[in-house]
Amino acid sequence: MILNGLKCKGTVRGYDKDSGKLLFQHGNMFMNTALEQVAKWIAGDNTIKIPTVVKVGNSNAAVAMGQLALSGDVLGTKTLDSATATGASVEFVASFLAGEGTGVWEEVGLFDADDKMWSRALTGTYTKKDLDKIEVHWTYDFYDSSETAPEETII
């Protein structure tokens, strides 16, 4: 018997907006609140808010599914520049321009308009200076992960 499983992999990347240089790249963890939102959406709830905001903070506390907010002080909040679906992937982009979100970045979160955190990731220690312009790219890749299950025993 073949079982199909829907999986989603999230990746966050930070780029220098002027040079295009990759500054950090890490996988994310989906929060329980995000999984609940997706389940409600699939069930037909049309009141679900999609991610629209990226926040950066200064805590390197471990990521856990039950978190509702960034663990440290919020250094900056930006509305998404874009959200683009290509095939079974969606990429969210937010730009932190000069003077925005300055300080030592350790964490980043993706939030909806109701301030529900969908994903959180650690950035590693990155110091954003006042003149730096950083573009945060957050990608969700959806895919089928099929595997062969053991034969069922019928009693």
Side-chain angles (χ1 to χ4, degrees):
M1 175 190 310
I2 302 294
L3 299 177
N4 292 335
L6 176 65
K7 292 193 175 186
C8 182
K9 177 183 176 192
T11 306
V12 63
R13 294 174 182 87
Y15 295 95
D16 180 286
K17 194 166 173 68
D18 290 330
S19 71
K21 178 183 175 188
L22 179 65
L23 303 171
F24 57 83
Q25 175 178 319
H26 297 280
N28 80 177
M29 181 176 284
F30 293 93
M31 302 295 108
N32 289 331
T33 53
L35 301 177
E36 292 164 5
Q37 294 295 86
V38 170
K40 289 176 186 175
W41 174 74
I42 290 171
D45 185 340
N46 61 3
T47 65
I48 301 304
K49 304 278 191 319
I50 59 171
T52 56
V53 172
V54 172
K55 295 181 182 183
V56 294
N58 63 359
S59 173
N60 64 3
V63 180
M65 288 180 68
Q67 294 170 330
L68 301 174
L70 295 180
S71 293
D73 294 329
V74 175
L75 302 174
T77 300
K78 290 297 295 196
T79 300
L80 295 175
D81 300 334
S82 64
T84 306
T86 305
S89 296
V90 62
E91 181 179 46
F92 305 99
V93 178
S95 299
F96 289 84
L97 302 177
E100 299 174 339
T102 57
V104 179
W105 291 16
E106 295 282 356
E107 60 182 334
V108 61
L110 185 62
F111 294 80
D112 67 20
D114 289 335
D115 208 31
K116 290 181 179 165
M117 185 165 62
W118 282 56
S119 298
R120 180 173 175 255
L122 298 180
T123 61
T125 302
Y126 175 75
T127 302
K128 183 182 181 297
K129 299 179 183 93
D130 192 49
L131 297 179
D132 291 345
K133 294 178 250 170
I134 308 302
E135 211 170 67
V136 176
H137 291 240
W138 211 307
T139 306
Y140 285 173
D141 294 307
F142 297 91
Y143 59 97
D144 176 43
S145 175
S146 298
E147 62 186 44
T148 303
E151 291 296 320
E152 293 181 346
T153 303
I154 300 174
I155 300 176

mmCIF file of all heavy atoms in Angstrom, residues 21-66:
data_model
loop_
_atom_site.group_PDB
_atom_site.id
_atom_site.type_symbol
_atom_site.label_atom_id
_atom_site.label_comp_id
_atom_site.label_asym_id
_atom_site.label_seq_id
_atom_site.Cartn_x
_atom_site.Cartn_y
_atom_site.Cartn_z
ATOM 1 N N LYS A 21 24.226 39.551 -1.780
ATOM 2 C CA LYS A 21 24.977 38.548 -1.018
ATOM 3 C C LYS A 21 24.077 37.874 0.021
ATOM 4 O O LYS A 21 23.341 38.546 0.744
ATOM 5 C CB LYS A 21 26.156 39.220 -0.317
ATOM 6 C CG LYS A 21 26.973 38.277 0.544
ATOM 7 C CD LYS A 21 28.086 39.005 1.274
ATOM 8 C CE LYS A 21 28.783 38.043 2.213
ATOM 9 N NZ LYS A 21 29.733 38.724 3.080
ATOM 10 N N LEU A 22 24.155 36.533 0.078
ATOM 11 C CA LEU A 22 23.418 35.769 1.082
ATOM 12 C C LEU A 22 24.079 35.984 2.442
ATOM 13 O O LEU A 22 25.271 35.736 2.615
ATOM 14 C CB LEU A 22 23.416 34.282 0.722
ATOM 15 C CG LEU A 22 22.699 33.355 1.695
ATOM 16 C CD1 LEU A 22 21.199 33.649 1.728
ATOM 17 C CD2 LEU A 22 22.954 31.899 1.308
ATOM 18 N N LEU A 23 23.297 36.441 3.425
ATOM 19 C CA LEU A 23 23.808 36.731 4.760
ATOM 20 C C LEU A 23 23.504 35.615 5.754
ATOM 21 O O LEU A 23 24.288 35.352 6.656
ATOM 22 C CB LEU A 23 23.223 38.043 5.281
ATOM 23 C CG LEU A 23 23.465 39.264 4.392
ATOM 24 C CD1 LEU A 23 22.664 40.457 4.895
ATOM 25 C CD2 LEU A 23 24.954 39.576 4.330
ATOM 26 N N PHE A 24 22.349 34.976 5.602
ATOM 27 C CA PHE A 24 21.993 33.838 6.444
ATOM 28 C C PHE A 24 20.941 32.997 5.735
ATOM 29 O O PHE A 24 20.210 33.491 4.876
ATOM 30 C CB PHE A 24 21.509 34.267 7.838
ATOM 31 C CG PHE A 24 20.337 35.198 7.859
ATOM 32 C CD1 PHE A 24 19.030 34.724 7.745
ATOM 33 C CD2 PHE A 24 20.519 36.567 8.001
ATOM 34 C CE1 PHE A 24 17.944 35.584 7.769
ATOM 35 C CE2 PHE A 24 19.444 37.443 8.028
ATOM 36 C CZ PHE A 24 18.145 36.940 7.917
ATOM 37 N N GLN A 25 20.906 31.726 6.098
ATOM 38 C CA GLN A 25 19.918 30.796 5.559
ATOM 39 C C GLN A 25 19.674 29.713 6.591
ATOM 40 O O GLN A 25 20.613 29.076 7.054
ATOM 41 C CB GLN A 25 20.416 30.168 4.263
ATOM 42 C CG GLN A 25 19.484 29.105 3.716
ATOM 43 C CD GLN A 25 19.969 28.523 2.404
ATOM 44 O OE1 GLN A 25 20.458 29.247 1.550
ATOM 45 N NE2 GLN A 25 19.841 27.219 2.251
ATOM 46 N N HIS A 26 18.409 29.522 6.956
ATOM 47 C CA HIS A 26 18.063 28.523 7.963
ATOM 48 C C HIS A 26 16.679 27.967 7.687
ATOM 49 O O HIS A 26 15.818 28.656 7.136
ATOM 50 C CB HIS A 26 18.094 29.135 9.374
ATOM 51 C CG HIS A 26 19.448 29.599 9.770
ATOM 52 N ND1 HIS A 26 20.416 28.758 10.232
ATOM 53 C CD2 HIS A 26 20.016 30.832 9.741
ATOM 54 C CE1 HIS A 26 21.520 29.444 10.482
ATOM 55 N NE2 HIS A 26 21.295 30.711 10.182
ATOM 56 N N GLY A 27 16.451 26.741 8.124
ATOM 57 C CA GLY A 27 15.116 26.167 8.089
ATOM 58 C C GLY A 27 14.279 26.803 9.184
ATOM 59 O O GLY A 27 14.805 27.391 10.126
ATOM 60 N N ASN A 28 12.969 26.714 9.032
ATOM 61 C CA ASN A 28 12.083 27.267 10.045
ATOM 62 C C ASN A 28 11.311 26.150 10.724
ATOM 63 O O ASN A 28 11.368 25.000 10.303
ATOM 64 C CB ASN A 28 11.136 28.300 9.448
ATOM 65 C CG ASN A 28 9.926 27.747 8.721
ATOM 66 O OD1 ASN A 28 9.102 28.501 8.264
ATOM 67 N ND2 ASN A 28 9.771 26.454 8.580
ATOM 68 N N MET A 29 10.613 26.507 11.772
ATOM 69 C CA MET A 29 9.671 25.591 12.399
ATOM 70 C C MET A 29 8.296 26.220 12.257
ATOM 71 O O MET A 29 8.122 27.416 12.472
ATOM 72 C CB MET A 29 9.980 25.361 13.879
ATOM 73 C CG MET A 29 9.002 24.377 14.531
ATOM 74 S SD MET A 29 9.436 24.002 16.246
ATOM 75 C CE MET A 29 10.812 22.884 15.995
ATOM 76 N N PHE A 30 7.313 25.392 11.867
ATOM 77 C CA PHE A 30 5.948 25.848 11.790
ATOM 78 C C PHE A 30 5.350 25.807 13.182
ATOM 79 O O PHE A 30 5.511 24.841 13.912
ATOM 80 C CB PHE A 30 5.137 24.977 10.828
ATOM 81 C CG PHE A 30 5.587 25.141 9.409
ATOM 82 C CD1 PHE A 30 6.525 24.285 8.870
ATOM 83 C CD2 PHE A 30 5.110 26.182 8.638
ATOM 84 C CE1 PHE A 30 6.964 24.448 7.573
ATOM 85 C CE2 PHE A 30 5.544 26.352 7.333
ATOM 86 C CZ PHE A 30 6.481 25.479 6.798
ATOM 87 N N MET A 31 4.648 26.859 13.541
ATOM 88 C CA MET A 31 4.024 26.945 14.850
ATOM 89 C C MET A 31 2.687 26.196 14.842
ATOM 90 O O MET A 31 2.049 26.050 13.802
ATOM 91 C CB MET A 31 3.779 28.407 15.233
ATOM 92 C CG MET A 31 5.034 29.265 15.251
ATOM 93 S SD MET A 31 6.230 28.762 16.508
ATOM 94 C CE MET A 31 7.517 28.025 15.522
ATOM 95 N N ASN A 32 2.263 25.747 16.012
ATOM 96 C CA ASN A 32 0.957 25.092 16.139
ATOM 97 C C ASN A 32 -0.158 25.977 15.588
ATOM 98 O O ASN A 32 -1.090 25.490 14.950
ATOM 99 C CB ASN A 32 0.661 24.747 17.603
ATOM 100 C CG ASN A 32 1.521 23.619 18.118
ATOM 101 O OD1 ASN A 32 1.946 22.753 17.365
ATOM 102 N ND2 ASN A 32 1.777 23.625 19.411
ATOM 103 N N THR A 33 -0.058 27.290 15.837
ATOM 104 C CA THR A 33 -1.096 28.204 15.350
ATOM 105 C C THR A 33 -1.192 28.166 13.829
ATOM 106 O O THR A 33 -2.287 28.245 13.277
ATOM 107 C CB THR A 33 -0.828 29.652 15.810
ATOM 108 O OG1 THR A 33 0.507 30.019 15.444
ATOM 109 C CG2 THR A 33 -1.000 29.803 17.303
ATOM 110 N N ALA A 34 -0.071 28.028 13.135
ATOM 111 C CA ALA A 34 -0.091 27.958 11.670
ATOM 112 C C ALA A 34 -0.754 26.678 11.198
ATOM 113 O O ALA A 34 -1.563 26.696 10.261
ATOM 114 C CB ALA A 34 1.324 28.046 11.120
ATOM 115 N N LEU A 35 -0.426 25.565 11.835
ATOM 116 C CA LEU A 35 -1.024 24.294 11.444
ATOM 117 C C LEU A 35 -2.533 24.327 11.656
ATOM 118 O O LEU A 35 -3.302 23.825 10.824
ATOM 119 C CB LEU A 35 -0.379 23.152 12.226
ATOM 120 C CG LEU A 35 1.140 23.008 12.047
ATOM 121 C CD1 LEU A 35 1.671 21.891 12.923
ATOM 122 C CD2 LEU A 35 1.517 22.806 10.599
ATOM 123 N N GLU A 36 -2.965 24.962 12.743
ATOM 124 C CA GLU A 36 -4.401 25.100 13.001
ATOM 125 C C GLU A 36 -5.065 25.987 11.943
ATOM 126 O O GLU A 36 -6.176 25.688 11.483
ATOM 127 C CB GLU A 36 -4.625 25.685 14.400
ATOM 128 C CG GLU A 36 -4.218 24.732 15.510
ATOM 129 C CD GLU A 36 -4.077 25.408 16.863
ATOM 130 O OE1 GLU A 36 -4.387 26.618 16.998
ATOM 131 O OE2 GLU A 36 -3.639 24.723 17.812
ATOM 132 N N GLN A 37 -4.390 27.054 11.530
ATOM 133 C CA GLN A 37 -4.939 27.942 10.507
ATOM 134 C C GLN A 37 -5.094 27.198 9.175
ATOM 135 O O GLN A 37 -6.104 27.343 8.493
ATOM 136 C CB GLN A 37 -4.052 29.176 10.310
ATOM 137 C CG GLN A 37 -3.995 30.100 11.519
ATOM 138 C CD GLN A 37 -5.335 30.726 11.810
ATOM 139 O OE1 GLN A 37 -6.168 30.154 12.493
ATOM 140 N NE2 GLN A 37 -5.550 31.909 11.288
ATOM 141 N N VAL A 38 -4.100 26.413 8.801
ATOM 142 C CA VAL A 38 -4.169 25.654 7.554
ATOM 143 C C VAL A 38 -5.320 24.658 7.603
ATOM 144 O O VAL A 38 -6.086 24.521 6.640
ATOM 145 C CB VAL A 38 -2.824 24.949 7.260
ATOM 146 C CG1 VAL A 38 -2.956 23.969 6.104
ATOM 147 C CG2 VAL A 38 -1.742 25.985 6.968
ATOM 148 N N ALA A 39 -5.478 23.960 8.717
ATOM 149 C CA ALA A 39 -6.571 22.989 8.852
ATOM 150 C C ALA A 39 -7.929 23.683 8.717
ATOM 151 O O ALA A 39 -8.832 23.175 8.038
ATOM 152 C CB ALA A 39 -6.474 22.259 10.191
ATOM 153 N N LYS A 40 -8.086 24.844 9.337
ATOM 154 C CA LYS A 40 -9.345 25.589 9.236
ATOM 155 C C LYS A 40 -9.600 26.033 7.793
ATOM 156 O O LYS A 40 -10.731 25.972 7.311
ATOM 157 C CB LYS A 40 -9.316 26.810 10.161
ATOM 158 C CG LYS A 40 -9.385 26.468 11.632
ATOM 159 C CD LYS A 40 -9.255 27.728 12.463
ATOM 160 C CE LYS A 40 -9.178 27.427 13.949
ATOM 161 N NZ LYS A 40 -8.941 28.667 14.718
ATOM 162 N N TRP A 41 -8.542 26.466 7.117
ATOM 163 C CA TRP A 41 -8.681 26.906 5.732
ATOM 164 C C TRP A 41 -9.131 25.744 4.841
ATOM 165 O O TRP A 41 -10.039 25.901 4.023
ATOM 166 C CB TRP A 41 -7.364 27.496 5.244
ATOM 167 C CG TRP A 41 -7.382 27.832 3.789
ATOM 168 C CD1 TRP A 41 -8.022 28.886 3.200
ATOM 169 C CD2 TRP A 41 -6.756 27.103 2.746
ATOM 170 N NE1 TRP A 41 -7.822 28.851 1.842
ATOM 171 C CE2 TRP A 41 -7.045 27.763 1.543
ATOM 172 C CE3 TRP A 41 -5.967 25.962 2.712
ATOM 173 C CZ2 TRP A 41 -6.580 27.322 0.314
ATOM 174 C CZ3 TRP A 41 -5.508 25.512 1.497
ATOM 175 C CH2 TRP A 41 -5.815 26.185 0.312
ATOM 176 N N ILE A 42 -8.510 24.582 5.016
ATOM 177 C CA ILE A 42 -8.884 23.412 4.224
ATOM 178 C C ILE A 42 -10.339 23.026 4.494
ATOM 179 O O ILE A 42 -11.053 22.576 3.599
ATOM 180 C CB ILE A 42 -7.920 22.240 4.489
ATOM 181 C CG1 ILE A 42 -6.554 22.569 3.888
ATOM 182 C CG2 ILE A 42 -8.456 20.931 3.923
ATOM 183 C CD1 ILE A 42 -5.457 21.602 4.255
ATOM 184 N N ALA A 43 -10.810 23.236 5.714
ATOM 185 C CA ALA A 43 -12.198 22.923 6.073
ATOM 186 C C ALA A 43 -13.187 23.975 5.575
ATOM 187 O O ALA A 43 -14.382 23.839 5.777
ATOM 188 C CB ALA A 43 -12.323 22.763 7.586
ATOM 189 N N GLY A 44 -12.697 25.018 4.926
ATOM 190 C CA GLY A 44 -13.581 26.005 4.330
ATOM 191 C C GLY A 44 -13.741 27.297 5.093
ATOM 192 O O GLY A 44 -14.557 28.139 4.712
ATOM 193 N N ASP A 45 -12.971 27.501 6.148
ATOM 194 C CA ASP A 45 -13.049 28.745 6.911
ATOM 195 C C ASP A 45 -12.407 29.864 6.089
ATOM 196 O O ASP A 45 -11.189 29.884 5.902
ATOM 197 C CB ASP A 45 -12.338 28.574 8.255
ATOM 198 C CG ASP A 45 -12.477 29.786 9.161
ATOM 199 O OD1 ASP A 45 -12.775 30.890 8.666
ATOM 200 O OD2 ASP A 45 -12.264 29.630 10.386
ATOM 201 N N ASN A 46 -13.227 30.785 5.592
ATOM 202 C CA ASN A 46 -12.694 31.856 4.747
ATOM 203 C C ASN A 46 -12.296 33.096 5.544
ATOM 204 O O ASN A 46 -12.056 34.146 4.962
ATOM 205 C CB ASN A 46 -13.679 32.210 3.631
ATOM 206 C CG ASN A 46 -15.004 32.707 4.161
ATOM 207 O OD1 ASN A 46 -15.189 32.844 5.365
ATOM 208 N ND2 ASN A 46 -15.940 32.983 3.263
ATOM 209 N N THR A 47 -12.235 32.991 6.859
ATOM 210 C CA THR A 47 -11.806 34.123 7.684
ATOM 211 C C THR A 47 -10.319 34.047 8.037
ATOM 212 O O THR A 47 -9.801 34.937 8.710
ATOM 213 C CB THR A 47 -12.618 34.191 8.994
ATOM 214 O OG1 THR A 47 -12.338 33.023 9.780
ATOM 215 C CG2 THR A 47 -14.110 34.294 8.710
ATOM 216 N N ILE A 48 -9.647 32.998 7.584
ATOM 217 C CA ILE A 48 -8.229 32.798 7.907
ATOM 218 C C ILE A 48 -7.396 33.906 7.283
ATOM 219 O O ILE A 48 -7.552 34.253 6.115
ATOM 220 C CB ILE A 48 -7.745 31.420 7.399
ATOM 221 C CG1 ILE A 48 -8.560 30.295 8.040
ATOM 222 C CG2 ILE A 48 -6.254 31.231 7.640
ATOM 223 C CD1 ILE A 48 -8.569 30.297 9.538
ATOM 224 N N LYS A 49 -6.503 34.449 8.074
ATOM 225 C CA LYS A 49 -5.568 35.466 7.593
ATOM 226 C C LYS A 49 -4.277 34.773 7.163
ATOM 227 O O LYS A 49 -3.801 33.862 7.836
ATOM 228 C CB LYS A 49 -5.255 36.481 8.703
ATOM 229 C CG LYS A 49 -6.471 37.154 9.305
ATOM 230 C CD LYS A 49 -6.935 38.298 8.474
ATOM 231 C CE LYS A 49 -7.965 39.188 9.103
ATOM 232 N NZ LYS A 49 -9.020 38.631 9.864
ATOM 233 N N ILE A 50 -3.715 35.217 6.056
ATOM 234 C CA ILE A 50 -2.458 34.661 5.567
ATOM 235 C C ILE A 50 -1.288 35.479 6.125
ATOM 236 O O ILE A 50 -1.479 36.610 6.582
ATOM 237 C CB ILE A 50 -2.421 34.651 4.031
ATOM 238 C CG1 ILE A 50 -2.582 36.079 3.482
ATOM 239 C CG2 ILE A 50 -3.494 33.719 3.466
ATOM 240 C CD1 ILE A 50 -2.341 36.215 2.009
ATOM 241 N N PRO A 51 -0.070 34.937 6.085
ATOM 242 C CA PRO A 51 1.080 35.706 6.559
ATOM 243 C C PRO A 51 1.263 36.989 5.750
ATOM 244 O O PRO A 51 1.170 36.971 4.522
ATOM 245 C CB PRO A 51 2.256 34.756 6.350
ATOM 246 C CG PRO A 51 1.646 33.390 6.395
ATOM 247 C CD PRO A 51 0.303 33.563 5.737
ATOM 248 N N THR A 52 1.495 38.086 6.478
ATOM 249 C CA THR A 52 1.674 39.399 5.831
ATOM 250 C C THR A 52 2.797 40.220 6.455
ATOM 251 O O THR A 52 3.089 41.311 5.965
ATOM 252 C CB THR A 52 0.379 40.229 5.916
ATOM 253 O OG1 THR A 52 -0.006 40.358 7.295
ATOM 254 C CG2 THR A 52 -0.750 39.598 5.124
ATOM 255 N N VAL A 53 3.420 39.717 7.515
ATOM 256 C CA VAL A 53 4.390 40.517 8.271
ATOM 257 C C VAL A 53 5.592 39.662 8.660
ATOM 258 O O VAL A 53 5.435 38.503 9.054
ATOM 259 C CB VAL A 53 3.730 41.083 9.558
ATOM 260 C CG1 VAL A 53 4.743 41.755 10.457
ATOM 261 C CG2 VAL A 53 2.613 42.049 9.208
ATOM 262 N N VAL A 54 6.781 40.242 8.570
ATOM 263 C CA VAL A 54 8.005 39.641 9.081
ATOM 264 C C VAL A 54 8.495 40.494 10.235
ATOM 265 O O VAL A 54 8.524 41.725 10.142
ATOM 266 C CB VAL A 54 9.101 39.534 7.995
ATOM 267 C CG1 VAL A 54 10.428 39.096 8.587
ATOM 268 C CG2 VAL A 54 8.670 38.591 6.878
ATOM 269 N N LYS A 55 8.850 39.824 11.331
ATOM 270 C CA LYS A 55 9.437 40.513 12.479
ATOM 271 C C LYS A 55 10.822 39.920 12.748
ATOM 272 O O LYS A 55 11.028 38.719 12.567
ATOM 273 C CB LYS A 55 8.586 40.327 13.738
ATOM 274 C CG LYS A 55 7.212 40.960 13.653
ATOM 275 C CD LYS A 55 6.439 40.760 14.948
ATOM 276 C CE LYS A 55 5.051 41.337 14.860
ATOM 277 N NZ LYS A 55 4.324 41.216 16.143
ATOM 278 N N VAL A 56 11.749 40.772 13.193
ATOM 279 C CA VAL A 56 13.076 40.316 13.596
ATOM 280 C C VAL A 56 13.282 40.653 15.062
ATOM 281 O O VAL A 56 12.776 41.661 15.564
ATOM 282 C CB VAL A 56 14.197 40.922 12.721
ATOM 283 C CG1 VAL A 56 14.095 40.429 11.296
ATOM 284 C CG2 VAL A 56 14.176 42.440 12.762
ATOM 285 N N GLY A 57 14.014 39.770 15.745
ATOM 286 C CA GLY A 57 14.244 39.965 17.167
ATOM 287 C C GLY A 57 15.647 39.560 17.575
ATOM 288 O O GLY A 57 16.457 39.115 16.757
ATOM 289 N N ASN A 58 15.900 39.683 18.876
ATOM 290 C CA ASN A 58 17.266 39.518 19.375
ATOM 291 C C ASN A 58 17.456 38.320 20.315
ATOM 292 O O ASN A 58 18.401 38.307 21.091
ATOM 293 C CB ASN A 58 17.729 40.804 20.061
ATOM 294 C CG ASN A 58 16.895 41.147 21.283
ATOM 295 O OD1 ASN A 58 15.952 40.449 21.640
ATOM 296 N ND2 ASN A 58 17.241 42.253 21.930
ATOM 297 N N SER A 59 16.596 37.311 20.228
ATOM 298 C CA SER A 59 16.760 36.148 21.100
ATOM 299 C C SER A 59 17.192 34.928 20.299
ATOM 300 O O SER A 59 16.669 34.672 19.215
ATOM 301 C CB SER A 59 15.441 35.822 21.816
ATOM 302 O OG SER A 59 15.576 34.607 22.538
ATOM 303 N N ASN A 60 18.136 34.189 20.865
ATOM 304 C CA ASN A 60 18.545 32.930 20.229
ATOM 305 C C ASN A 60 17.975 31.725 20.990
ATOM 306 O O ASN A 60 18.490 30.617 20.886
ATOM 307 C CB ASN A 60 20.061 32.837 20.108
ATOM 308 C CG ASN A 60 20.757 32.808 21.451
ATOM 309 O OD1 ASN A 60 20.114 32.808 22.499
ATOM 310 N ND2 ASN A 60 22.083 32.782 21.424
ATOM 311 N N ALA A 61 16.888 31.942 21.745
ATOM 312 C CA ALA A 61 16.219 30.841 22.450
ATOM 313 C C ALA A 61 15.741 29.813 21.435
ATOM 314 O O ALA A 61 15.326 30.159 20.329
ATOM 315 C CB ALA A 61 15.040 31.373 23.259
ATOM 316 N N ALA A 62 15.802 28.559 21.814
ATOM 317 C CA ALA A 62 15.409 27.475 20.920
ATOM 318 C C ALA A 62 13.996 27.679 20.387
ATOM 319 O O ALA A 62 13.124 28.213 21.068
ATOM 320 C CB ALA A 62 15.503 26.143 21.649
ATOM 321 N N VAL A 63 13.788 27.242 19.161
ATOM 322 C CA VAL A 63 12.484 27.338 18.513
ATOM 323 C C VAL A 63 11.622 26.161 18.963
ATOM 324 O O VAL A 63 12.094 25.031 19.037
ATOM 325 C CB VAL A 63 12.657 27.316 16.977
ATOM 326 C CG1 VAL A 63 11.315 27.405 16.283
ATOM 327 C CG2 VAL A 63 13.569 28.449 16.528
ATOM 328 N N ALA A 64 10.348 26.430 19.273
ATOM 329 C CA ALA A 64 9.418 25.382 19.696
ATOM 330 C C ALA A 64 8.046 25.663 19.079
ATOM 331 O O ALA A 64 7.637 26.825 18.943
ATOM 332 C CB ALA A 64 9.309 25.338 21.215
ATOM 333 N N MET A 65 7.332 24.606 18.719
ATOM 334 C CA MET A 65 6.058 24.731 18.002
ATOM 335 C C MET A 65 4.989 25.515 18.751
ATOM 336 O O MET A 65 4.105 26.095 18.137
ATOM 337 C CB MET A 65 5.503 23.348 17.660
ATOM 338 C CG MET A 65 6.270 22.650 16.574
ATOM 339 S SD MET A 65 5.577 21.028 16.196
ATOM 340 C CE MET A 65 4.016 21.479 15.470
ATOM 341 N N GLY A 66 5.040 25.546 20.066
ATOM 342 C CA GLY A 66 4.014 26.220 20.844
ATOM 343 C C GLY A 66 4.224 27.708 21.012
ATOM 344 O O GLY A 66 3.398 28.389 21.621
#
